[in-house]
Amino acid sequence: MAAFIAKQMVGNQLKSVKGALGDKDEESKEGDGDTGEDPEIEEARREAEEKRKEKHRKMEEERETMRQSIRDKYGIKKKQEEEELLKQQMESAGRVGRKKKTPAELAAEANGEEEDDDEDEFTMPKNLDEFKSKVQDIPQKLTQTVGEVSEKCSLQ
């Protein structure tokens, strides 16, 4: 309780001091889209970001060499999906959503939808005959199994 009261008293005084110095948030909101920072600071941030990305890229390369040595040691094959995923990530570079479809893919999809609309009647799955034969075999297998069990477990 005492901490709360102390925080309230000091917090209000701190806000008044901040207001006297000028609120930086208001200045940045009033700007014409410029961050209001010194160009040297922006350049330093950009360089730091590039250095960080380079550092992470080198670390990932080291990890990949370690993974490859483990794969070689134990005879594990590398999954192709991982390579493709990694390539896609490198190509999309910062993209959060899914990959955009090309015009050719969009046209093929539209043609596929048109064909689906033309087919009004319902078609059965192609492997339905397999299912039918398996279902028809079930009673025969059941009677055969019951016969085998009754032979083994005869009552005396």
Side-chain angles (χ1 to χ4, degrees), residues 89-149:
Q89 287 176 350
M90 293 303 227
E91 290 173 359
S92 62
R95 179 175 294 207
V96 176
R98 63 175 174 78
K99 179 185 146 202
K100 290 185 179 179
K101 293 183 179 179
T102 63
E105 291 173 338
L106 291 172
E109 187 176 298
N111 289 339
E113 289 178 4
E114 289 174 5
E115 291 175 6
D116 290 343
D117 292 341
D118 294 341
E119 298 175 8
D120 291 337
E121 59 188 58
F122 177 74
T123 57
M124 299 297 266
K126 295 178 182 175
N127 60 354
L128 187 62
D129 293 330
E130 294 175 27
F131 292 125
K132 283 182 180 179
S133 63
K134 288 181 181 179
V135 169
Q136 290 173 350
D137 292 343
I138 289 175
Q140 295 170 356
K141 289 181 181 179
L142 183 64
T143 55
Q144 181 183 5
T145 307
V146 168
E148 291 174 3
V149 170

Side-chain angles (χ1 to χ4, degrees), residues 7-21:
K7 184 178 178 183
Q8 289 294 326
M9 290 173 35
V10 173
N12 290 337
Q13 291 175 358
L14 186 60
K15 286 181 185 176
S16 65
V17 171
K18 284 183 182 177
L21 293 176

Side-chain angles (χ1 to χ4, degrees), residues 59-76:
M59 288 172 53
E60 186 59 33
E61 286 177 0
E62 291 173 3
R63 288 183 187 132
E64 186 57 35
T65 56
M66 178 66 75
R67 289 183 199 118
Q68 189 60 43
S69 66
I70 292 171
R71 283 188 209 107
D72 293 341
K73 181 179 179 181
Y74 294 105
I76 301 171

